[in-house]
Amino acid sequence: MSTEKARTTHLADGQDARPEGAEPKGESPKAIIAAVLANIAIGIVKFIAAFVSGSSAMISEGIHSIVDSGNGLLILFGMKRAERRPDAAHPFGYSMELYFWTLIVAVMIFALGGGFSIYEGINRIREITPSTTLGDPTLNYIVIIVSAVIEGFSLKVALHEFNEARGGVKPLRFIKEAKDPSLFTVVLEDSAAEIGLLLAFLGTFLGHLTGNPYFDGIASVLIGALLACVAIVLLRETKGLLIGEGLHLDELEQVKSIVESNENVTNCGRILSLYLGPNDLLVTLDVTFAQAMTGEEIDRTIDGLEHDLVREFPQITRIFIEPENLRETTKAAERLETLVSES
């Protein structure tokens, strides 16, 4: 068996290429759990307040909280499903399942959260007549304040996880480049929840201040539009992850530099990479080794390259290295055989 074949077989059977101690930090689900519990509690209270006051904005906020709690459960489900080990049907594992469930979350936010809220707000506006009166807003104010405090706690936990993960990277850039959607999904949802509560408060306050019931319906429409915007951001980022993303250009240059810094390597050719999951990166390399190296020496060098690469990129789980020397030797042998047969 050639060195190339031995290397790819070893790494394709589900074993982790990372040496001990190089595993990347797993994402804690505590931020998601905190958000789910908070949303279930305040969602129920919001619906009670909406029933008492007849506020369309509070109905939208109730829908918002219930949808968010369902979304959190789906994210947790996706994280759990993504942890399954590779099998014969899925030799590279199930890591991408997290991306699929994040896509479902984005669709739910857009359709259920944004769509229902806008529908409710428009209906509220259309139903207004000269005889329409506003209900007592006291319970609305209480629920909004309590919800803002609870959502603020959930957002604080999510932001802590988010900031810890992004380090010194700017938030928008991190969201664009992050491979783990659970890191920013909860932050976006909780931020939208706080803004939604502010809109609900303004709708209620301005409506009673001016005696104009249209403010309540307008607030509901704006809450729906806010949720639609959040959904579009999630859809855009998840689409890229599902289609397949790899290392960035500067990271590819870093990989090339690490490989070519090895004294037994003369050139690093094509580099292909693909994120199968947040901490599941596949890398393939075409490497030209120094002349006159034996297969055993090439194998030891490949072991060293794997260790160096994984130390710098802990998310790498599979490395396929194709020694170009063997390819050229095989081609030369085939050409020689052809010449001999023709002569």
Side-chain angles (χ1 to χ4, degrees):
M1 181 182 292
S2 70
T3 302
E4 171 192 351
K5 190 66 175 178
R7 179 60 48 190
T8 55
T9 301
H10 170 71
L11 293 178
D13 61 5
Q15 298 185 40
D16 198 322
R18 296 178 292 221
E20 185 178 353
E23 291 82 358
K25 181 183 176 183
E27 298 308 326
S28 170
K30 66 180 182 181
I32 302 175
I33 294 174
V36 169
L37 295 176
N39 282 314
I40 291 175
I42 63 182
I44 295 172
V45 177
K46 284 176 181 177
F47 277 123
I48 294 173
F51 176 78
V52 173
S53 66
S55 171
S56 175
M58 288 307 296
I59 292 177
S60 295
E61 273 301 298
I63 294 171
H64 183 178
S65 295
I66 297 302
V67 170
D68 279 356
S69 62
N71 292 341
L73 292 174
L74 285 177
I75 292 292
L76 288 172
F77 180 71
M79 292 172 68
K80 185 66 177 178
R81 296 278 294 178
E83 293 175 356
R84 289 180 296 166
R85 301 292 299 173
D87 53 35
H90 299 85
F92 290 106
Y94 294 83
S95 296
M96 277 193 172
E97 225 179 298
L98 175 59
Y99 299 156
F100 168 76
W101 289 108
T102 304
L103 179 66
I104 298 300
V105 164
V107 173
M108 285 183 61
I109 294 175
F110 188 86
L112 298 181
F116 279 7
S117 295
I118 292 174
Y119 174 80
E120 175 63 28
I122 292 175
N123 268 357
R124 175 67 172 173
I125 293 172
R126 292 175 62 184
E127 291 172 357
I128 293 175
T129 65
S131 60
T132 299
T133 58
L134 297 171
D136 186 353
T138 304
L139 185 57
N140 278 8
Y141 291 139
I142 295 173
V143 170
I144 289 172
I145 292 172
V146 173
S147 298
V149 173
I150 297 175
E151 291 282 9
F153 172 76
S154 176
L155 179 59
K156 181 181 178 181
V157 175
L159 280 174
H160 176 74
E161 298 265 325
F162 180 79
N163 291 329
E164 190 177 70
R166 72 180 179 87
V169 181
K170 293 182 178 180
L172 291 179
R173 181 183 173 188
F174 178 77
I175 290 174
K176 184 177 180 181
E177 297 180 354
K179 308 306 177 185
D180 187 350
S182 66
L183 283 172
F184 55 82
T185 299
V186 178
V187 172
L188 290 176
E189 288 184 344
D190 286 350
S191 299
E194 290 284 34
I195 297 173
L197 288 168
L198 176 60
L199 292 173
F201 172 81
L202 290 175
T204 302
F205 177 75
L206 293 175
H208 284 80
L209 180 67
T210 63
N212 187 342
Y214 283 101
F215 279 109
D216 183 54
I218 292 172
S220 181
V221 172
L222 290 176
I223 291 170
L226 172 67
L227 293 176
C229 290
V230 171
I232 289 171
V233 172
L234 287 178
L235 284 169
R236 179 180 175 182
E237 297 307 318
T238 309
K239 173 189 172 185
L241 294 170
L242 278 173
I243 291 174
E245 293 184 358
L247 293 169
H248 299 291
L249 290 177
D250 57 333
E251 294 173 322
L252 292 174
E253 287 298 323
Q254 192 175 355
V255 169
K256 184 179 178 69
S257 176
I258 291 172
V259 174
E260 292 186 343
S261 66
N262 189 292
E263 60 182 6
N264 294 325
V265 174
T266 59
N267 180 62
C268 178
R270 182 180 56 178
I271 304 173
L272 300 177
S273 61
L274 177 65
Y275 273 95
L276 303 172
N279 295 313
D280 191 356
L281 176 63
L282 166 69
V283 176
T284 69
L285 305 166
D286 289 344
V287 179
T288 301
F289 295 92
Q291 295 295 325
M293 287 182 66
T294 65
E296 184 178 348
E297 291 172 333
I298 291 177
D299 197 58
R300 285 200 301 268
T301 302
I302 289 176
D303 285 336
L305 290 175
E306 287 179 2
H307 183 274
D308 293 341
L309 289 171
V310 174
R311 182 175 55 192
E312 192 64 33
F313 298 95
Q315 66 271 36
I316 294 178
T317 55
R318 297 171 180 83
I319 304 175
F320 295 83
I321 297 179
E322 181 174 356
E324 290 294 283
N325 309 55
L326 298 180
R327 184 202 295 268
E328 295 302 321
T329 301
T330 301
K331 288 182 178 179
E334 290 175 349
R335 287 196 296 269
L336 179 61
E337 185 178 345
T338 300
L339 290 174
V340 170
S341 63
E342 288 178 350
S343 63

